[in-house]
Every structure is written in C-alpha cells, then in structure tokens.
Amino acid sequence: MEKFNCSYDRVKFDEACVNVISDNGNFNKWLYSLSMDCLLCPYKRIAQISNNVSLKFSTIETLKWRILNNNGSEEYVSSKITSNIVCELTPHLGQYGLYELAVQNNNCNFKTIKNPTYPYTELFVTLGVIIFILCGISAGRSLWHMITKCVIGVKDESNNEELKKRRVKAIDTFRGTSTLFMIFVNDGSGTYAVLEHTIWDGMLLGDIVFPCFIWIMGVCIPIALSAQLKRGVSKLQISYSILKRSFLLFLIGVSLNTLGTDAQVENIRIFGVLQRFGVTYLVVSLVYLCFPPQQSKILRNPSPTWIMRKMQDILSLLPHWFVMLILVIVHCALTFCLPVPGCPTGYLGPGGRHEDGKYFNCTGGATGYIDKTVLTLNHIYQYPTIKSVYGSSPFDPEGILGCLTAIFQVFLGVHAGTILMLYKDWKDRVMRWLLWAVFYACLGCAFHFTDTIPVNKNLWSLSFVFVTTSFSLAFLSGCYLLIDVTEVWRGGPFRIPGMNALLLYVGHSMCYEIFPFHWRIGAMDSRALCLFESIWVVILWAIIAYIMHRKRTYITL
C-alpha cells in the first residue's frame, strides 16, 4: 500500500479510492465510467490504465466501468458501442473503502483491500436520539395533564361541541413539518443524498417537501374563505385580499432570487418556490370564490339519496373539478403535442448527454421550451440538479407549464379541506382521506411504472402530483389521529413553527450564509459535523418560531 496514494486518511465520507494495477503493455487502455443516475448516457473518460495509479470515486451513485482499448482521444463513448471493450464491470464502492483494480493480460480483477463503513450510522443514531427526546417530552406532558385532570376534575361532556369546532392542530403540525424539513433539505440534508432531490425521474424524500407544503395551503383555502364569507365579508373584498397576497408572495419570491447576486435586472430569475405559491393560490382561491361549494343545497334536498350523502364532498365541488380537468387536459396537450424545434414531440427527458446527447438542448421538452420562449433563457434557473449529471442547459423546475399541475395539486388540497368541513365525525374524515390516498397512489404508480407519465418533480408531472398527494393525505390522517382524535401527541415541535411558516421560509432563505444560521469548522469533512450543522439550523428556526408564538406574533400576508 505504501507505493500507492490510496489510504484511509486521504478519503472522506462518500468517497472511495481505487488502486489501478496493470502490466506494461496497457498504454492504449483507458478507464471509462458511467453513473447509473445518468440514464442512456455515454461513458466518460476517467484515466489511462497505467501501473500504480490511484483514483477517487464518489460512492453516492452506482457506477459502471468499461476498460476500452483505444487512444483515449474521445472524452465520451456511447454505451451502445461494444467494440474495443477489454472488460466491463459494476464495482460496489462504499465510503472510506479502499479497492484494487488489476488489468493484466486483457483480464480485469476487482477486489476490496479495506472494507467500507456504513454511511447511515450517524443518521440513524441522531434520528433515534431525536425520537427518544420527543417521546420523552410528549410522555411528560401527557403525565402532567393527567395529573392536572385528576386534581381539577374531568371536564363536562358539554365541551364536545367545542372540541369539534376548535382549530385542527394537525394542519399546523403538517405545515410545520414541511417547513422544518424544507429548511433541513435546503441546508444540505446533512450531506445525505437520499434526503435530497432526485436527479430527474423518480422521487427521494427531499422531493416530497414542496408538494406537501403547497398541498396543505390548499387544505386551508376552503376553511379560510368560508369563514370570511360567513362573517359577511364581500366577495370583492376577499378577491382584493387574494390578489394582494398572491402579488406579495410572487414579489417576495423574485426578491429572494436576487440574494447573492448583483440583482442585474436582465438576468433575474422570475419564477421560484414562493412564486408558484402565489400563482396557485390566486387561481384556486378565485375559482373557489366564484363557485362556492353547493353542499348546503345537497343536504336540503327533500330526499337526498345515499350516494348524494356519501359523495357530497365531490358533488359540492363539481364546478371546481370541471375547471381543474380543463387545466389538466391543457397541460397534457402542451406536454405531449406541442411541437418543439429540434426535439421529438412529447419528449420528457433531461436533454444534455441523455441518449448520447441526441437531444442536448431539449431539456424538459415542451416545459423547457415554453419557459425559454416566454421568459427567455436569462430569466430561468441556471443551475438545475441535472446539470452536474447530464450537462444540461438551464431549466426552471418551477416554470410556467408546471404551474398548471401545481394548481391541480392545490385543488386536491381544497378537496381534502372540504372533507374536513363537511364531515364532522373523525372516522368519516379519516376514511375518506385514506381512500383518496390509495386511489391517487394507484393512479400515480400506474402512470409511472407504465412509463406513460414518469414521476418527476422538475416537470411537476401528473403522476408526481398523485403520488405526493397520496403521501400528504396519509400523513395528514396520521397527524389528525394522533393529535386531534386520540390526543396522544400535541404536535410538538412542529406545530408552532407551522403557525409561522412564511417567516421561517423567508428567514432561512435570507440567512443561509450568515452566522449563527450557518457555520463551518475546518474542511467539514466529518459526516456527523455536517449533520449536526443541518439540524442546528432547524432547531434555531424552531426556537425562533416558539419565541414569536410566545409573543403572539404571526407573520401573514
């Protein structure tokens, strides 16, 4: 080992080192590598096969190697070309692992010199400690309340009606969980790739946060607007409030896009996270206001049928379903039928080196084309996740076309909120939420696994909407059962941050590069240290939310 550069001290987490051994006749042999994250991509030239060469590789992605007998003049070689292949292998690399690749006499041998370490030890230990602390706090609170009830006495049963009308704490908890986890993901997820965003098709934990956040906004729309209508607020006043809030959300989002830049007007990114909130809130709220739910007419029917009673959540929103169906049809028509110059119609790929670079400038198909045409190239996101893997051109994951399916997802949240308002018994609510969750999950999986419409956050595909909405419904059902029904959990420490979600999101977006919200110690080459820094940020913003709650200060638009 002394004659090689590979040693345990020279690699860090998510890295492995490979020693290459070869005979003297391998000057025309080259190592090419392909990341399995890069679908239908060419192999990339890594290094010439020569004796005593040490190479470092990332262990985050699965790799495929080819040893090719050529002069190494081509940086990329198509995976479809099978000539000049000396050998082909799929190495299983782990962090801190030391390996040996021997290429001798046109044969390849790969072996492990030092076994890798398990990458998720720190994560599971930290998660266990957090769960233990939260369970301890919850148990202590429950014990305290039991003692208090025994001393003061059991509440009168007449309070049951008040319990039905009280604020649903599960909604705040859901929103707070989404907000805090979004902060965690934006801060780097403790360097765990599995907690971040997927490259293109598919879904990781980090991809669930944004759709959950936007969906729960939809749940609150019928609750908030119905309350204003009952108080006698005119539709004109409510419309003005909706327009003002949407405009402010969009404006704040554009302002956040200029952080860390010189705010050059001709290069400002127009769309983003808060902008999508503003657009979807505007459309869904105005549709709800224009077509007030008709549940009262259904229930006043002299002889409502069993189907009418059981399906009043659907029947009361029939005009809304019709409008949303039109939006979905328009989205699908544009996605699969809009001609895009130089690209196949209905292309849903990442462009770049996908399919050997055949459609290099076709990133996102119609989705990317509409953004580049309407917004122009300088006003869309310049550094998408796919750029590091596929080498793709700029692409905006929060662009124009995706707003249509995002509007539909917010409406699905409105439907869940309508169920909450219509059905007073918790069993009816949870049963319907879970039934719809199963239905959406089946639809989304059917679209994805038949490759009709793959799950894709960057495109905000229809299958992505269904799968994430299914998760949201299931998660809300769980929170509702634990917090509002059985009351075994009070929602901490997520409920209070959920009451000031806008402040936390904007605040962390503005303070992500300043102390104490962000810091570094040395090279930050310790996984535990990176994880602690990401959790520290979440804890800090949670504390701020609790302080503001203590002062009864809530930032809304």
Side-chain angles (χ1 to χ4, degrees):
M1 282 296 297
E2 288 76 13
K3 59 184 178 180
F4 295 111
N5 292 326
C6 274
S7 67
Y8 187 84
D9 296 332
R10 291 180 179 267
V11 293
K12 62 177 185 178
F13 61 87
D14 289 335
E15 280 187 353
C17 196
V18 180
N19 295 321
V20 180
I21 298 177
S22 67
D23 51 37
N24 294 326
N26 285 330
F27 297 109
N28 288 328
K29 292 184 174 63
W30 289 78
L31 171 64
Y32 284 76
S33 180
L34 171 63
S35 168
M36 298 302 287
D37 287 338
C38 197
L39 300 178
L40 303 176
C41 290
Y43 282 78
K44 182 180 180 180
R45 183 186 64 213
I46 300 299
Q48 186 178 22
I49 299 296
S50 59
N51 205 19
N52 302 351
V53 172
S54 298
L55 304 171
K56 286 183 181 181
F57 291 92
S58 170
T59 60
I60 295 175
E61 53 201 14
T62 303
L63 301 175
K64 289 182 70 175
W65 289 346
R66 279 183 179 177
I67 309 299
L68 300 182
N69 193 0
N70 61 20
N71 57 14
S73 60
E74 298 181 14
E75 184 178 1
Y76 293 98
V77 175
S78 173
S79 59
K80 299 175 183 177
I81 299 176
T82 57
S83 59
N84 300 324
I85 297 178
V86 176
C87 59
E88 187 173 11
L89 62 157
T90 304
H92 298 287
L93 305 177
Q95 69 171 11
Y96 296 114
L98 306 181
Y99 304 90
E100 179 182 276
L101 173 63
V103 183
Q104 296 170 328
N105 299 322
N106 289 331
N107 292 316
C108 300
N109 182 40
F110 182 80
K111 67 179 182 179
T112 302
I113 298 175
K114 184 176 180 61
N115 289 323
T117 62
Y118 186 65
Y120 299 107
T121 302
E122 296 91 342
L123 179 63
F124 288 136
V125 170
T126 304
L127 189 61
V129 171
I130 292 173
I131 292 175
F132 178 78
I133 293 173
L134 294 180
C135 289
I137 295 173
S138 179
R141 278 180 166 272
S142 299
L143 183 62
W144 172 255
H145 283 287
M146 287 176 62
I147 295 172
T148 305
K149 283 183 179 181
C150 290
V151 173
I152 299 176
V154 182
K155 291 183 180 180
D156 191 271
E157 293 296 327
S158 61
N159 289 335
N160 287 341
E161 291 300 320
E162 295 180 10
L163 293 175
K164 290 181 180 180
K165 296 179 181 179
R166 70 185 178 184
R167 184 184 181 100
V168 179
K169 296 178 181 178
I171 293 177
D172 291 324
T173 304
F174 186 105
R175 191 189 300 112
T177 305
S178 301
T179 305
L180 293 181
F181 193 64
M182 183 179 286
I183 293 173
F184 178 77
V185 171
N186 289 348
D187 196 66
S189 304
T191 69
Y192 282 99
V194 71
L195 300 178
E196 295 185 2
H197 299 293
T198 191
I199 302 300
W200 191 247
D201 288 340
M203 193 168 63
L204 294 175
L205 283 176
D207 298 312
I208 300 175
V209 183
F210 187 10
C212 286
F213 205 170
I214 206 169
W215 177 85
I216 199 65
M217 179 184 69
V219 174
C220 299
I221 286 174
I223 300 172
L225 295 187
S226 296
Q228 292 183 61
L229 290 171
K230 287 179 180 178
R231 290 199 305 266
V233 182
S234 68
K235 288 188 177 182
L236 187 62
Q237 287 178 290
I238 298 175
S239 299
Y240 172 75
S241 176
I242 292 170
L243 288 168
K244 184 183 76 171
R245 190 176 191 219
S246 301
F247 173 77
L248 290 175
L249 283 170
F250 202 97
L251 180 62
I252 293 170
V254 173
S255 300
L256 291 178
N257 285 346
T258 64
L259 285 172
T261 71
D262 55 1
Q264 195 75 27
V265 174
E266 56 267 32
N267 295 324
I268 292 177
R269 181 190 176 197
I270 296 176
F271 277 83
V273 173
L274 288 183
Q275 294 91 314
R276 179 157 287 185
F277 272 94
V279 171
T280 55
Y281 176 76
L282 174 66
V283 176
V284 176
S285 297
L286 289 180
V287 170
Y288 188 89
L289 199 61
C290 291
F291 304 102
Q294 302 297 313
Q295 66 265 28
S296 58
K297 293 183 180 179
I298 295 172
L299 294 177
R300 285 200 301 265
N301 191 302
S303 56
T305 63
W306 180 85
I307 294 179
M308 290 177 66
R309 287 195 302 269
K310 295 298 181 182
M311 297 183 64
Q312 56 180 311
D313 58 310
I314 300 175
L315 297 175
S316 63
L317 294 173
L318 274 182
H320 308 73
W321 282 105
F322 181 72
V323 172
M324 295 304 149
L325 182 61
I326 292 175
L327 291 180
V328 170
I329 291 173
V330 169
H331 177 272
C332 291
L334 290 173
T335 300
F336 295 103
C337 302
L338 181 69
V340 179
C343 308
T345 303
Y347 179 74
L348 299 176
R353 289 187 287 272
H354 180 245
E355 297 196 23
D356 293 333
K358 189 177 180 181
Y359 310 116
F360 195 90
N361 293 317
C362 297
T363 304
T367 303
Y369 176 68
I370 290 173
D371 288 340
K372 292 173 185 176
T373 303
V374 178
L375 305 175
T376 70
L377 191 64
N378 290 340
H379 293 292
I380 63 177
Y381 191 45
Q382 300 295 309
Y383 308 103
T385 309
I386 50 175
K387 188 172 185 177
S388 61
V389 176
Y390 289 94
S392 305
S393 58
F395 176 81
D396 205 320
E398 284 85 41
I400 297 172
L401 192 56
C403 286
L404 297 180
T405 42
I407 289 169
F408 179 58
Q409 182 152 30
V410 173
F411 165 71
L412 295 181
V414 169
H415 179 222
T418 303
I419 291 174
L420 183 66
M421 293 173 60
L422 285 177
Y423 301 96
K424 303 306 178 183
D425 184 61
W426 68 267
K427 294 177 184 177
D428 289 333
R429 293 171 173 176
V430 173
M431 181 186 68
R432 279 167 175 78
W433 285 340
L434 293 179
L435 285 175
W436 280 107
V438 171
F439 176 68
Y440 293 145
C442 292
L443 272 180
C445 291
F447 281 136
H448 179 74
F449 291 109
T450 58
D451 208 31
T452 305
I453 306 176
V455 170
N456 190 302
K457 177 187 177 293
N458 291 279
L459 300 176
W460 212 275
S461 64
L462 195 58
S463 55
F464 176 76
V465 169
F466 285 134
V467 171
T468 52
T469 298
S470 172
F471 173 83
S472 300
L473 282 165
F475 186 58
L476 179 63
S477 300
C479 291
Y480 181 67
L481 285 172
L482 292 174
I483 300 168
D484 294 285
V485 178
T486 61
E487 297 185 346
V488 297
W489 180 34
R490 293 170 58 88
F494 307 106
R495 183 173 63 86
I496 302 304
M499 299 170 73
N500 245 324
L502 180 63
L503 169 74
L504 266 62
Y505 179 78
V506 174
H508 105 273
S509 298
M510 296 178 65
C511 302
Y512 72 102
E513 284 186 330
I514 64 175
F515 184 84
F517 300 97
H518 174 72
W519 45 262
R520 293 178 62 86
I521 299 177
M524 293 293 283
D525 54 359
S526 166
R527 169 95 70 185
L529 189 59
C530 292
L531 182 60
F532 176 75
E533 194 270 343
S534 294
I535 294 175
W536 162 264
V537 176
V538 175
I539 293 173
L540 203 58
W541 283 109
I543 292 172
I544 291 172
Y546 269 87
I547 292 173
M548 297 197 68
H549 174 67
R550 184 81 173 177
K551 295 178 179 292
R552 295 294 185 265
T553 304
Y554 307 100
I555 306 299
T556 57
L557 297 178

